[in-house]
Amino acid sequence: MNAQAFAAAELGWHDFFLAAAGASAALLGLLFVGVSINLAAIAVAERVDLRARAGQAFANLIFVLVIALLMLIPEPDPGSIALGLAVVAGLGLVRVAQNLYPVFRGRTGFRNWLQPVRRIGWTVIADLVLIFTAWRIWSSGDVAVIQNLVTVAFVLLVGAADVSRQMLVEVSREQTS
């Protein structure tokens, strides 16, 4: 598919990516509020898991924002879009590894590591879908795979919103009890 046909097909997704950019920016603000309110609890040495989740949520929201901005570029080149998506996915996988290392280092037993893996596992799935999407756009210019980015954005946004909610509600509840 040539660049003009790709741009024309991508134009139909303009409103979705505009909404995704706005949602990720709003959730970034919510995450900052949640972290700021609970900074003392998050900074405690024993709460490596909270710092890892907050860091992962921050990264996920930034990645949704970058994906949305990439897809909002007027008259995009499919190869450049594919490269940008692949870079975001690669950085996402690196960020997951960076967040899992300190969590696993301090944990023993199956129960202690199952919850962090479950929460971060969705990010890994989103990154793998993003890699597949980038590959399909790169190899064939297949614009139909743009719909995969809906899944990626949804998984990353919902995961980050869950962490933001946890920072605002659950950690505050822990501090009062």
Side-chain angles (χ1 to χ4, degrees):
M1 174 177 283
N2 66 25
Q4 287 179 332
F6 184 83
E10 186 189 43
L11 189 59
W13 290 96
H14 179 272
D15 291 346
F16 171 79
F17 290 113
L18 198 58
S24 65
L27 286 171
L28 270 167
L30 179 62
L31 180 64
F32 274 107
V33 168
V35 168
S36 298
I37 289 172
N38 298 301
L39 193 54
I42 294 168
V44 176
E46 297 85 31
R47 297 310 304 254
V48 174
D49 60 326
L50 280 179
R51 286 191 300 279
R53 281 187 293 208
Q56 190 64 53
F58 178 80
N60 288 357
L61 291 170
I62 293 295
F63 294 151
V64 171
L65 184 60
V66 169
I67 291 167
L69 292 176
L70 275 172
M71 299 307 288
L72 289 171
I73 294 173
E75 299 180 29
D77 171 52
S80 298
I81 295 295
L83 181 62
L85 295 176
V87 166
V88 169
L91 290 173
L93 292 172
V94 167
R95 186 66 181 155
V96 165
Q98 287 174 334
N99 284 329
L100 282 178
Y101 177 72
V103 171
F104 284 137
R105 187 179 55 190
R107 297 196 181 242
T108 58
F110 180 74
R111 279 196 172 146
N112 289 337
W113 61 266
L114 186 60
Q115 187 174 8
V117 168
R118 181 185 60 83
R119 287 188 183 269
I120 292 179
W122 288 105
T123 300
V124 172
I125 291 169
D127 288 332
L128 294 176
V129 170
L130 194 55
I131 288 170
F132 171 77
T133 303
W135 172 72
R136 291 290 296 164
I137 291 172
W138 180 272
S139 65
S140 65
D142 184 8
V143 76
V145 296
I146 289 176
Q147 66 189 355
N148 293 350
L149 298 178
V150 173
T151 303
V152 169
F154 182 73
V155 167
L156 295 178
L157 286 172
V158 168
D162 179 47
V163 169
S164 298
R165 182 197 61 79
Q166 183 182 23
M167 294 292 165
L168 283 170
V169 177
E170 293 178 19
V171 175
S172 296
R173 192 177 306 139
E174 288 175 8
Q175 287 179 332
T176 59
S177 50

